[in-house]
Amino acid sequence: MPAKKNYHHGDLRQSLINEATRMIADSGIEKLSMRGLAECVGVSRTAAYHHFKDKNELLCAIAEQGFSHWYDQMGSRLNEVPEDLEAWFRAFSHAYIDFARNHAEQYDLMFGRPIWKNGQPTESLRKISFEAFERYAEFVKKCLQGDQFSHGQDALRVAQVTWGSLHGLSRLLNDGVYLDKESINSMCDVAARLLVQNMRR
Amino acid sequence: MPAKKNYHHGDLRQSLINEATRMIADSGIEKLSMRGLAECVGVSRTAAYHHFKDKNELLCAIAEQGFSHWYDQMGSRLNEVPEDLEAWFRAFSHAYIDFARNHAEQYDLMFGRPIWKNGQPTESLRKISFEAFERYAEFVKKCLQGDQFSHGQDALRVAQVTWGSLHGLSRLLNDGVYLDKESINSMCDVAARLLVQNMRR
DNA sequence: GGTGTATGTTGACACTGTCAAGATTGAAAA
DNA sequence: TTTTCAATCTTGACAGTGTCAACATACACC
């Protein structure tokens, strides 16, 4: 049923998400207004409120799709069994930061204040976002497994710290603080060198 | 000259900064409005515009004071000559994250989108913020000095990556993503263990 | 004392998110 | 088929925002 012209839109919910994603990608999150979005989709100011309780809920939906996209792009790496862990992490870092930079606005939404601090993350967003981290944490655990020194919650902490590091670099890059994109390569090298070599202990 | 009652406020500029800092500390950055701030200070809606071109400029002033505060609290650590670098970094991590958490809103302002991505950081903010990083980078360089393996820009990269890591952990903590404050201690331990031991190479 | 400049005020404009009440539609019940 | 009903969309309204232009006040200096 391809988009009725008249009254009912047909698939407004998804159209809103798509258009909003497109809009924030080239104008930034804070430029996105419910009214502007509605106009772009060709619908009245408040139509969106029949599909999303809030602006917050719309943002959550966008973020949710972002996590799904993230997993499409990064998930396969978490199934590998790396021989050279440092090389693996170097590549992973690069891929992670590339994702964060290529979908900068969506990335900032996925992990940023507007949803997690101000608004309330949707239950489904909570779920999919934690799943992403859990998958990563499991990967780390698997890599540290059989290590005589690792004990208890150690793997979780390593996962938290390494993810946090990549997140921090991504944010500083995206926001244009301290880091310049020309040095991404060497920063990934250094990050892998620093972070990996003492994982196993 | 203690605060005239009538027309001229006397030291409105600083009063605005102070009150705004107080307001964001207990209501969050996005709740801060020029009008609300003006009312709290007891002045008309647009009075602030004679001291700050923009809301952005006001935010920059707050952030600037934040960097000054940061240096008061952290600067002395950058003058130490650590014997045990891992222990030093463990303590530094803790202090950094404590600062970020104790002044969460101001910290987010200092390094966040509103200023660095959307708005334009003031020249003086640029200066003071870069100075903070440069001091840290120099410290790292000093620590890596005489190290046979370190070469060229390596120290800068190490500084970027380690700062980025602390920033990432701080942001995830402040925004309530993945990390919980109960595990700050062990995360700092792990961060120090991972990041430090291979600095020297 | 008069004048100018810094600082304060009021009015106005366009924009925002969102609620309440009414209009339109397609599908299920009669 | 006709009626009814719930889902969907629209219009009107309200309080709130940042900021500009025009005006008022007050202090500092000739």
Side-chain angles (χ1 to χ4, degrees), chain A residues 26-63:
Chain A
D26 66 51
S27 311
I29 305 169
E30 29 283 307
K31 295 282 180 193
L32 177 73
S33 79
M34 292 304 248
R35 297 166 104 108
L37 170 62
E39 193 170 8
C40 273
V41 171
V43 94
S44 92
R45 295 152 254 161
T46 61
Y49 286 85
H50 289 107
H51 300 272
F52 304 96
K53 180 179 122 263
D54 255 339
K55 186 179 188 181
N56 174 70
E57 267 202 2
L58 170 63
L59 296 183
C60 285
I62 300 172

Side-chain angles (χ1 to χ4, degrees), chain A residues 28-30 67 86 104-105 108 111-113 116-118 129-130 132-133 154 157-158 160-165 167-169 171-172 174-180 183 186-187 190-191 193-195 197-199 201, chain B residues 28-30 67 86 104-105 108 111-113 116-118 129-130 132-133 154 157-158 160-165 167-169 171-172 174-180 183 186-187 190-191 193-195 197-199 201:
Chain A
I29 305 169
E30 29 283 307
F67 274 100
E86 185 176 334
E105 298 293 330
D108 281 10
F111 296 100
R113 281 175 66 96
W116 292 94
K117 188 146 191 177
N118 301 330
S129 67
F130 284 144
F133 178 74
D154 219 41
R157 297 286 168 260
V158 170
Q160 289 174 320
V161 169
T162 49
W163 188 300
S165 299
H167 178 64
L169 292 173
R171 295 290 317 216
L172 291 180
N174 277 357
D175 295 345
V177 188
Y178 295 166
L179 276 41
D180 49 310
S183 49
S186 42
M187 285 193 308
V190 169
R193 202 183 74 202
L194 295 187
L195 289 169
Q197 294 216 346
N198 286 297
M199 269 191 196
R201 198 182 60 136
Chain B
I29 306 168
E30 28 283 307
F67 274 100
E86 185 176 333
E105 297 293 330
D108 280 10
F111 296 99
R113 281 176 66 97
W116 292 94
K117 188 145 194 179
N118 301 329
S129 68
F130 284 144
F133 178 74
D154 219 41
R157 298 285 169 261
V158 170
Q160 288 173 322
V161 169
T162 50
W163 189 300
S165 300
H167 179 64
L169 292 174
R171 295 290 316 217
L172 291 181
N174 276 358
D175 295 344
V177 188
Y178 295 166
L179 276 41
D180 49 310
S183 49
S186 42
M187 287 193 307
V190 170
R193 200 183 76 202
L194 295 188
L195 289 168
Q197 294 216 345
N198 286 297
M199 271 190 193
R201 198 181 58 134

Side-chain angles (χ1 to χ4, degrees), chain A:
Chain A
M1 56 196 79
K4 295 278 185 118
K5 262 278 177 66
N6 282 348
Y7 208 86
H8 282 69
H9 185 284
D11 57 347
L12 183 55
R13 195 192 134 92
Q14 193 56 46
S15 295
L16 287 168
I17 298 181
N18 292 341
E19 181 63 18
T21 306
R22 219 187 44 76
M23 286 176 77
I24 66 171
D26 66 51
S27 311
I29 305 169
E30 29 283 307
K31 295 282 180 193
L32 177 73
S33 79
M34 292 304 248
R35 297 166 104 108
L37 170 62
E39 193 170 8
C40 273
V41 171
V43 94
S44 92
R45 295 152 254 161
T46 61
Y49 286 85
H50 289 107
H51 300 272
F52 304 96
K53 180 179 122 263
D54 255 339
K55 186 179 188 181
N56 174 70
E57 267 202 2
L58 170 63
L59 296 183
C60 285
I62 300 172
E64 215 170 307
Q65 210 170 259
F67 274 100
S68 160
H69 187 193
W70 184 90
Y71 199 81
D72 286 348
Q73 212 153 312
M74 304 287 291
S76 67
R77 293 179 188 271
L78 301 179
N79 293 323
E80 297 174 6
V81 182
E83 299 175 24
D84 182 348
L85 193 55
E86 185 176 334
W88 179 92
F89 192 79
R90 191 162 43 234
F92 185 79
S93 303
H94 217 127
Y96 186 101
I97 291 175
D98 273 359
F99 178 88
R101 281 179 29 84
N102 290 334
H103 315 86
E105 298 293 330
Q106 203 168 12
Y107 180 87
D108 281 10
L109 203 54
M110 289 162 64
F111 296 100
R113 281 175 66 96
I115 286 179
W116 292 94
K117 188 146 191 177
N118 301 330
Q120 298 281 8
T122 303
E123 198 49 51
S124 54
L125 175 60
R126 272 206 154 84
K127 184 156 172 281
I128 195 173
S129 67
F130 284 144
E131 278 170 0
F133 178 74
E134 268 171 17
R135 272 297 290 113
Y136 178 71
E138 277 168 27
F139 174 85
V140 170
K141 194 174 183 179
K142 194 180 64 188
C143 288
L144 298 193
Q145 192 164 300
D147 186 343
Q148 52 176 337
F149 294 101
S150 83
H151 54 284
Q153 295 195 306
D154 219 41
L156 175 59
R157 297 286 168 260
V158 170
Q160 289 174 320
V161 169
T162 49
W163 188 300
S165 299
L166 297 182
H167 178 64
L169 292 173
S170 299
R171 295 290 317 216
L172 291 180
L173 274 165
N174 277 357
D175 295 345
V177 188
Y178 295 166
L179 276 41
D180 49 310
K181 54 185 182 307
E182 285 76 19
S183 49
I184 292 181
N185 269 311
S186 42
M187 285 193 308
C188 286
D189 291 354
V190 169
R193 202 183 74 202
L194 295 187
L195 289 169
V196 166
Q197 294 216 346
N198 286 297
M199 269 191 196
R200 299 204 156 98
R201 198 182 60 136

Side-chain angles (χ1 to χ4, degrees), chain B residues 120-182:
Chain B
Q120 297 282 8
T122 302
E123 198 49 51
S124 54
L125 175 59
R126 271 206 153 83
K127 186 157 172 280
I128 194 173
S129 68
F130 284 144
E131 278 169 1
F133 178 74
E134 269 171 16
R135 273 296 292 112
Y136 177 71
E138 277 168 28
F139 174 85
V140 170
K141 194 173 183 180
K142 194 179 64 187
C143 289
L144 297 194
Q145 193 164 300
D147 186 341
Q148 53 177 335
F149 294 101
S150 83
H151 55 284
Q153 293 194 308
D154 219 41
L156 174 59
R157 298 285 169 261
V158 170
Q160 288 173 322
V161 169
T162 50
W163 189 300
S165 300
L166 296 182
H167 179 64
L169 292 174
S170 300
R171 295 290 316 217
L172 291 181
L173 274 165
N174 276 358
D175 295 344
V177 188
Y178 295 166
L179 276 41
D180 49 310
K181 54 184 182 305
E182 285 76 18

Side-chain angles (χ1 to χ4, degrees), chain B:
Chain B
M1 55 195 80
K4 295 278 184 116
K5 261 278 177 69
N6 281 348
Y7 207 87
H8 282 69
H9 185 284
D11 58 346
L12 184 53
R13 196 193 134 93
Q14 193 55 46
S15 294
L16 286 169
I17 297 180
N18 292 341
E19 181 63 20
T21 306
R22 216 187 47 75
M23 286 176 78
I24 67 172
D26 65 52
S27 312
I29 306 168
E30 28 283 307
K31 295 281 180 191
L32 177 72
S33 78
M34 293 303 249
R35 298 166 104 108
L37 170 61
E39 193 170 10
C40 273
V41 171
V43 94
S44 93
R45 295 153 255 158
T46 61
Y49 286 85
H50 290 249
H51 299 271
F52 304 97
K53 180 177 123 264
D54 256 338
K55 187 180 187 180
N56 174 70
E57 266 202 3
L58 169 63
L59 297 183
C60 285
I62 300 172
E64 216 170 305
Q65 210 170 259
F67 274 100
S68 159
H69 187 193
W70 184 90
Y71 199 81
D72 286 348
Q73 213 153 313
M74 304 287 292
S76 66
R77 293 178 188 272
L78 302 179
N79 293 324
E80 298 174 5
V81 182
E83 298 174 26
D84 181 347
L85 193 55
E86 185 176 333
W88 180 91
F89 192 79
R90 190 161 43 235
F92 184 79
S93 304
H94 218 127
Y96 186 102
I97 291 175
D98 272 359
F99 178 88
R101 280 179 28 86
N102 289 335
H103 314 86
E105 297 293 330
Q106 202 168 11
Y107 179 87
D108 280 10
L109 203 53
M110 289 163 64
F111 296 99
R113 281 176 66 97
I115 287 179
W116 292 94
K117 188 145 194 179
N118 301 329
Q120 297 282 8
T122 302
E123 198 49 51
S124 54
L125 175 59
R126 271 206 153 83
K127 186 157 172 280
I128 194 173
S129 68
F130 284 144
E131 278 169 1
F133 178 74
E134 269 171 16
R135 273 296 292 112
Y136 177 71
E138 277 168 28
F139 174 85
V140 170
K141 194 173 183 180
K142 194 179 64 187
C143 289
L144 297 194
Q145 193 164 300
D147 186 341
Q148 53 177 335
F149 294 101
S150 83
H151 55 284
Q153 293 194 308
D154 219 41
L156 174 59
R157 298 285 169 261
V158 170
Q160 288 173 322
V161 169
T162 50
W163 189 300
S165 300
L166 296 182
H167 179 64
L169 292 174
S170 300
R171 295 290 316 217
L172 291 181
L173 274 165
N174 276 358
D175 295 344
V177 188
Y178 295 166
L179 276 41
D180 49 310
K181 54 184 182 305
E182 285 76 18
S183 49
I184 292 181
N185 269 311
S186 42
M187 287 193 307
C188 286
D189 291 353
V190 170
R193 200 183 76 202
L194 295 188
L195 289 168
V196 166
Q197 294 216 345
N198 286 297
M199 271 190 193
R200 299 202 157 98
R201 198 181 58 134

